[in-house]
Amino acid sequence: MDAEQALQIMLEHDDWFSTMNNLILWILRFIGWWLLRGIMFLAETFENAVNFILQNLDFFGASEIGLGDSGGGFYQTYKPIFWALLMIGILIIAFLLITNRLEKKSQTLTNLFVCLLLVFGMPTLLSSLNTIVKLASPVFQSNESVTSYLYRANVTDLLYLDDNGFSPESMDARNNFPDTVPPQKVIDPVEQMDPNGKNTSIIFENKVVYGWDGTATLYKASSGHLFGSLFTTYYYRYQINWFTLFVTGIALVLVFAITGVKIGVIIFNIAYTGIFALFITPLDLSTGQRTKKIVSELVTMFGSIIAILFAIQLFAIGMSWIAVVADGLAMLLLQVGFGIAMLNGPNIVAKVMGVNIGIGQELMQIAGAAYMGKAVAGAAMNAGKKVVGAAGKVAGAAGLGAAGVAGFGKESLSQLKQNGQPEKGKTETVDATLAGGALGGDTGGPNQSSIGLPEHNAPDKQALPEASNPQEPGGSGGAAEMDGTGNAVQGGQGTSPIN
């Protein structure tokens, strides 16, 4: 291959030759690859979970439910109720016939036959529909996982192209990963294309540069010299569509996770509808519309599972197709459009089958449940903090009270030491009778309070103010005087209690 052919290939497929090694890019590719593998691992895990659910749709056949071949369970337990309701339904039909109010008499026997057939044939019907879904599931699923398909569709192996001389067939295939090993285990995101020993070394030892006039020429790439492979400017062997893989991987995680939830809801509804038919069909002998609705719902629920599988497969293929035919803003717009279509579900399914297979509603419900859980947890934490805060305040108040009592006792003791021990016959406490007759002043007797004052604070005699009400008995306006010991002595016509 000469320089002109090499330059033409590099210009036509500039996305393969736009990334050359440098230390910062080496680190980013290494970290980004493991992040990508983590996302793809989650997508593959959810995909395997969905495949497991699809192989175990027969919840209705559990022994506790009894809608399968095993019998028993709820279905057999509620059959006596069915017979009772059927008798009621027949009596209603008889009453309508007698009163000539039955509009469609010819359909009554047909509805009765369909009712009995549905009730006794329900286990067989559900088992047959389940078998159809299990047989149809592999048709809409490839032999390899969706994540492996994405790796193959979004990674170009330059070594494979070099071995095939950049032939048109090899450039269309872009890689040849073995089927026996997952591509993610083969890919090394920081492996470089050393030009030595390559068939088309002229491509890998040069890069495209543009002159001042826009002319493209080849420029020799750096080999790193003595610093090793970390400082070369060679191309990376694997050219990865990072944006497509990240966006598609995150989308697949959400799609598979919510699809598993949606199929779980369908499985529950199938079992519930099968048992619910016992209570509806015997009372629908006159028109048969409710019985037809039950059969239609059962068929629709099994059909919606197949439609969901087809939508997932088509979504994964479409995202990879976008990465091949578009780039830049066009690729982003197409990917957003495919994502919205997957969220809302195909309109034709909703119009024909009457069921929405989109995952948008379930996504909103899960987000709402997560938000409510977060709010409840936050409220519980706030309540706990308030309880702890109230307990702390109570403990603080108790501590302050104890400290106050201790401080009051200490202050009283210090005052006692400061004033000294009172002499004999002198007291420093107010007599307890101060709260009794002395305060009442109702007898005019010698009920008096003894107030002891230190000797240096009490004069020999001290005049007290006159009684506030001179008309009261015992308080006729006389004044009381204090003797040297601080005891009140009678003065005038009566005594006045010391308030």
Side-chain angles (χ1 to χ4, degrees):
M1 181 181 294
D2 56 19
E4 184 177 353
Q5 292 176 332
L7 181 61
Q8 183 179 0
I9 292 176
M10 296 175 74
L11 291 176
E12 289 179 357
H13 303 279
D14 58 335
D15 55 326
W16 296 349
F17 304 98
S18 60
T19 306
M20 305 186 75
N21 179 63
N22 62 65
L23 181 59
I24 297 177
L25 190 59
W26 190 97
I27 296 174
L28 292 176
R29 286 177 68 94
F30 182 82
I31 297 175
W33 175 249
W34 286 104
L35 290 175
L36 179 62
R37 286 198 61 175
I39 294 173
M40 289 299 183
F41 174 77
L42 288 176
E44 187 173 0
T45 301
F46 281 113
E47 180 186 5
N48 294 333
V50 170
N51 292 335
F52 174 81
I53 293 173
L54 291 173
Q55 298 302 318
N56 294 275
L57 297 174
D58 52 351
F59 165 65
F60 56 84
S63 58
E64 294 83 358
I65 305 299
L67 286 172
D69 298 333
S70 61
F74 284 157
Y75 197 67
Q76 297 299 327
T77 301
Y78 293 146
K79 267 190 177 180
I81 301 177
F82 163 76
W83 289 114
L85 293 175
L86 182 61
M87 295 302 299
I88 295 174
I90 293 175
L91 290 176
I92 293 174
I93 293 298
F95 175 77
L96 294 176
L97 286 173
I98 293 173
T99 58
N100 198 23
R101 296 181 180 179
L102 189 62
E103 298 180 357
K104 299 179 180 180
K105 300 178 182 179
S106 60
Q107 294 185 359
T108 303
L109 291 178
T110 304
N111 294 337
L112 178 60
F113 175 75
V114 172
C115 170
L116 295 175
L117 182 63
L118 178 63
V119 171
F120 288 97
M122 183 69 72
T124 304
L125 174 63
L126 295 182
S127 298
S128 300
L129 292 174
N130 184 37
T131 302
I132 292 174
V133 172
K134 286 185 177 180
L135 293 176
S137 297
V139 176
F140 299 103
Q141 294 175 325
S142 58
N143 295 328
E144 63 178 354
S145 65
V146 176
T147 55
S148 296
Y149 172 80
L150 289 175
Y151 281 122
R152 296 179 187 278
N154 293 280
V155 177
T156 302
D157 186 359
L158 295 182
L159 181 60
Y160 167 74
L161 299 180
D162 176 73
D163 290 341
N164 290 272
F166 282 87
S167 63
E169 294 80 8
S170 64
M171 287 191 290
D172 290 338
R174 299 197 298 177
N175 59 65
N176 188 26
F177 296 121
D179 297 333
T180 57
V181 181
Q184 61 269 28
K185 294 185 177 181
V186 176
I187 298 171
D188 181 1
V190 295
E191 181 180 352
Q192 301 176 30
M193 287 295 294
D194 190 342
N196 297 323
K198 300 298 185 292
N199 297 328
T200 55
S201 58
I202 188 174
I203 291 180
F204 301 112
E205 65 184 7
N206 291 285
K207 63 180 180 179
V208 178
V209 295
Y210 294 90
W212 62 271
D213 57 351
T215 303
T217 57
L218 296 179
Y219 183 81
K220 192 78 171 181
S222 173
S223 62
H225 303 291
L226 300 177
F227 298 101
S229 60
L230 288 178
F231 295 91
T232 66
T233 56
Y234 294 149
Y235 298 105
Y236 291 107
R237 174 183 172 181
Y238 296 102
Q239 301 299 314
I240 304 171
N241 294 330
W242 295 95
F243 182 78
T244 301
L245 287 176
F246 268 108
V247 172
T248 309
I250 294 173
L252 285 177
V253 170
L254 295 175
V255 167
F256 281 124
I258 300 174
T259 298
V261 174
K262 193 175 186 71
I263 295 177
V265 173
I266 294 174
I267 292 173
F268 178 84
N269 288 335
I270 289 173
Y272 187 89
T273 304
I275 297 176
F276 189 66
L278 289 173
F279 307 101
I280 296 300
T281 54
L283 299 177
D284 191 41
L285 299 178
S286 59
T287 61
Q289 296 299 320
R290 296 182 181 89
T291 303
K292 295 176 183 177
K293 183 65 175 177
I294 289 175
V295 176
S296 175
E297 284 293 323
L298 290 173
V299 175
T300 298
M301 284 187 285
F302 278 101
S304 63
I305 295 176
I306 299 177
I308 289 172
L309 296 178
F310 176 67
I312 293 174
Q313 190 70 18
L314 189 63
F315 173 75
I317 295 174
M319 295 295 278
S320 298
W321 170 81
I322 292 171
V324 174
V325 301
D327 57 2
L329 183 59
M331 180 176 65
L332 178 61
L333 294 176
L334 287 173
Q335 288 177 337
V336 171
F338 276 50
I340 293 175
M342 191 65 194
L343 287 174
N344 296 334
N347 294 330
I348 187 64
V349 178
K351 292 179 181 179
V352 174
M353 301 179 61
V355 60
N356 183 14
I357 65 171
I359 63 175
Q361 184 177 0
E362 284 74 14
L363 180 61
M364 295 298 295
Q365 291 174 351
I366 293 175
Y371 179 79
M372 290 184 63
K374 184 179 180 180
V376 171
M381 291 181 64
N382 290 334
K385 291 180 179 179
K386 290 181 179 180
V387 171
V388 173
K393 290 181 179 179
V394 172
L400 289 175
V405 171
F408 176 77
K410 183 177 180 182
E411 182 179 357
S412 299
L413 182 60
S414 63
Q415 290 180 355
L416 182 62
K417 291 180 179 180
Q418 181 179 0
N419 294 334
Q421 184 69 22
E423 296 180 2
K424 186 176 182 180
K426 298 181 180 179
T427 178
E428 291 184 359
T429 59
V430 178
D431 195 343
T433 58
L434 189 62
L439 292 176
D442 55 349
T443 61
N447 291 335
Q448 300 159 351
S449 65
S450 59
I451 301 178
L453 296 174
E455 189 172 351
H456 59 276
N457 290 333
D460 293 341
K461 290 186 179 181
Q462 179 179 355
L464 296 178
E466 295 182 357
S468 60
N469 189 359
Q471 300 299 325
E472 292 181 1
S476 58
E481 293 182 350
M482 300 290 291
D483 61 6
T485 63
N487 294 323
V489 295
Q490 186 172 353
Q493 297 179 355
T495 62
S496 173
I498 298 174
N499 294 325

